[in-house]
Amino acid sequence: MHAPELDKVLNVTDGTLEFYTPAEAEDGYYPWAAEEGYAKSTNQGVDSSYVDATYTIPSASVVNTTVETKAGEILYFRYRVSSESTDRLYFYIDDQQVNRWSGDVDWAVYFCQLEAGTHVLQWEYTKDSGAARLEDTAYLDDVYVGAPKAVTGVEIQETASVAGYRRVQLTWDVLPDVASNREVTFTSSDESVATVDENGLVTGVTQGEAVITVTTKDGGFTDTCLVSVTGDQPPVKIYGFVHCLSAGRQDGLPAWWLKTHWYTFFDTNPGGAEEIGMMPDATSDEAVSVLCAELVDDTVYGYTMDGRFFAMDFDSLQRGELSVEYKNITRYDDFYPTEMSYDHSTGTMYVINYLCDLYEVNLETGEVDPDSRREIYGYLPGANDGLMTCIVGFAIDMIGNAYVMIAGFGAAWGGNGCSRLASLDLETGEYTVIGQTTAQAYQEQSMCFDPNTGKLYWAQWQTPYSPEVMNLFIVDTETAVLEDCGKIGEYGAGVRGMFIPLCEHDSNVKAVEERAATCTEEGHTAYWQCQTCGKYFTDEKLTIEISWEDTVIPALGHKTELRNAKEATCTEDGYTGDEVCTVCGETVKEGQVIPANCPSKAFADLNTDRWYHEYTDYVIAKGLMNGMDETHFAPEGSLTRGMLVTTLYRLAGEPEVAEPATFSDVKAGRYYTEAVAWAEENGIAKGITDTTFCPDKAVTREQAATFLYRYVTEYLEQEPATGADLSIYTDREAISKFARTAVAWATAEGLLQGFPGGSLQPRGTLTRAQMAKLLTILDQKF
Ligand SMILES: [Zn+2]
Ligand SMILES: [Zn+2]
Ligand SMILES: [Zn+2]
């Protein structure tokens, strides 16, 4: 059945593929549906056990397309799976299975070269007869078949944070999505701070910052991620008995087959497990398997599969010797211990058996007290339906809080192998689910607290049926969220009796001197750190424990001041100034050049070598005087009375005027109309006569002095300076009577100056350049 909607969601923009799906439910086959820009398998929620009771036909969602390819062409698509691990998304080329995905896989890219010719591509999401888990769905998007596309760039996450000794996986995108060569390499700017491997996995080394650079193989595009390494968290050493290893089925792979031995491994590299040795009196690797074990002070207690309780000297174990005392006990018919944990707060050892009953243990004999029996099982969902449920982890923290990891099977539990973390009431056996984890659980697992950090560790066996991996997780006790520490072993490494000793901080303590914080880098107080467990202390005797955060002295931050700031002049550039740290001297922010600017140069008739240059610059820049037109200022031109009053009005900031001027020759709507009204209102303009102002008449020097005088005394209401002695000027008699006081004042203030030869020329006209000078002085001085 050709599905045009699928063509739309599965094609990248330039694609021309046609997708086909079988008719719905024909022989247990279901189509894929177009949804929100991708294709989604539609057999979610189908219980395939009902499709064919013989299980020969699973429920499957199928989509396919036929392509004609030329040499060198590639195939690209994106996929996502959220399912039980026994349900899978298969991908076939020409009926050959080329890949399969299951579990919880977020959107990822599949890419390969195609040979020239005709090919049938098929995607098939199959479900087995088991119940659903997670979304039980596969997703498909952006199928591309065609010429390879060149890389155009790469983008990596901007920042990441990791503790020393710990790891963090970086994520990145090679652009475009359909780029043919997606290979990248990584480098660290400072390997003494953080290292990075070829897969973008960063390991913190010491406190500090390092820049991780990702580089595409095609085109050499780069991007960077700033990695901050915080306080140290040395590897946690874990002890465990590796019980059931089913390798050997996979040729050429590490054979862990029935390694019934004690091992140590670190949580930062659980795969690098080191063997300590076999339980003594074992005649072969298959004998004397440990079911569960727990460390109490210097002794490891545990049960073996052949029904014996044992005590083992921990000091010897640490030295690589196994000094075991067996206490033969008869196993009860209903007693097969699987989990064991010690409550340090009450001094009680607890054991849980395969029937999910909780007992207290007598550490002398290994016998359990029948009266202490608590039925956890009775509380488990599905128990009454006869569905299997088991406990695959049991641990008690240092203050007596107990936790269990429960594996559930069947629909009542949400699907086969779903694991849930629960808190357990040791008094009653009642449990409260904290959350479902994203990992599946079966058997041969173990859980323990790190008494040094309070972290809960879980050795988890993914599944005994498909890729068999033993993972180590740190489990968040508040959310059940898992932090992946890596694989302990592949192909089924069942860890039992896992425990972490309480650190005695008795060796390998590092004293660290105080380091002052700088402007940009944080410092720390003096501290002592145990190199075994990573704990921090304020004193040499390690009595007062602190967290790493407690040692941190925050960076001080720069204290800046502005330096090298300079105003631009007519001929020289200015500078906004640099923000320079007065503590470390670093230039935090560079200033900007302010280009040289001479306002007078805008006017062709202004000569910058003349005396008025600074004044015309000033009045033009301040907007007190404008040119006669765009390019002419007319410095030698006369100034009319209207113009003068207008410039004073601008200097005053052009305030609102209440009444129009009373002068008959001041018409409405002229450039000076408002200014004259304002000047009259403030006693600055008095007119040539009582009724005329003569706005277009050239202003004389003595009139100008008078306007300015009134501006200062009447408008600014300032006390005038004592007038100068006018008797020195040859033409003193020519000064009008009304103007004498003002002229004497203006001369004293330097607004008016005499001419060579001793005249003052009070009735001479005032030029516009002279007015620029008057305005400049007036603005700066008053
Ligand atoms: Zn320690
Ligand atoms: Zn600084
Ligand atoms: Zn200038």
Side-chain angles (χ1 to χ4, degrees), residues 403-631:
Y403 297 85
V404 282
M405 189 67 83
I406 306 166
F409 298 85
W413 188 250
N416 282 352
C418 284
S419 63
R420 292 182 183 184
L421 181 71
S423 62
L424 177 71
D425 186 334
L426 292 168
E427 299 274 313
T428 63
E430 209 167 341
Y431 73 92
T432 308
V433 170
I434 292 165
Q436 181 162 330
T437 79
T438 47
Q440 284 176 286
Y442 286 89
Q443 54 209 238
E444 311 299 349
Q445 321 205 4
S446 195
M447 201 161 83
C448 70
F449 269 98
D450 178 354
N452 306 300
T453 63
K455 285 181 178 168
L456 180 61
Y457 285 87
W458 182 34
Q460 172 261 0
W461 195 1
Q462 187 164 310
T463 156
Y465 305 122
S466 67
E468 293 162 6
V469 176
M470 193 95 197
N471 294 301
L472 186 70
F473 291 117
I474 294 171
V475 188
D476 188 314
T477 53
E478 306 215 320
T479 61
V481 168
L482 304 178
E483 180 186 334
D484 190 355
C485 300
K487 297 171 186 174
I488 300 171
E490 299 206 34
Y491 310 101
V495 172
R496 310 305 311 253
M498 190 168 80
F499 62 82
I500 298 166
L502 181 65
C503 184
E504 291 172 3
H505 324 306
D506 52 358
S507 61
N508 208 5
V509 171
K510 182 171 78 175
V512 180
E513 282 178 21
E514 179 176 341
R515 192 181 75 198
T518 67
C519 294
T520 52
E521 287 189 359
E522 58 190 26
H524 54 72
T525 61
Y527 63 81
W528 282 261
Q529 188 188 19
C530 173
Q531 298 297 285
T532 307
C533 67
K535 283 190 176 179
Y536 297 83
F537 302 87
T538 57
D539 59 322
E540 193 172 0
K541 291 188 174 150
L542 313 184
T543 52
I544 302 164
E545 191 192 325
I546 52 171
S547 69
W548 173 74
E549 284 82 5
D550 292 336
T551 72
V552 172
I553 303 169
L556 303 170
H558 293 297
K559 289 183 179 55
T560 58
E561 65 175 27
L562 204 60
R563 286 189 197 164
N564 308 323
K566 199 173 73 174
E567 295 217 12
T569 68
C570 295
T571 53
E572 281 183 22
D573 289 346
Y575 193 61
T576 57
D578 298 319
E579 283 177 38
V580 179
C581 179
T582 55
V583 181
C584 69
E586 187 183 316
T587 300
V588 177
K589 194 178 168 205
E590 284 196 3
Q592 286 180 325
V593 171
I594 309 165
N597 179 32
C598 177
S600 297
K601 280 196 175 148
F603 299 98
D605 57 356
L606 284 179
N607 183 341
T608 54
D609 293 330
R610 293 291 305 277
W611 63 269
Y612 54 69
H613 177 190
E614 65 170 298
Y615 306 117
T616 52
D617 274 358
Y618 188 87
V619 297
I620 295 165
K622 289 246 171 182
L624 296 173
M625 287 179 78
N626 300 325
M628 301 304 288
D629 59 39
E630 294 264 304
T631 53

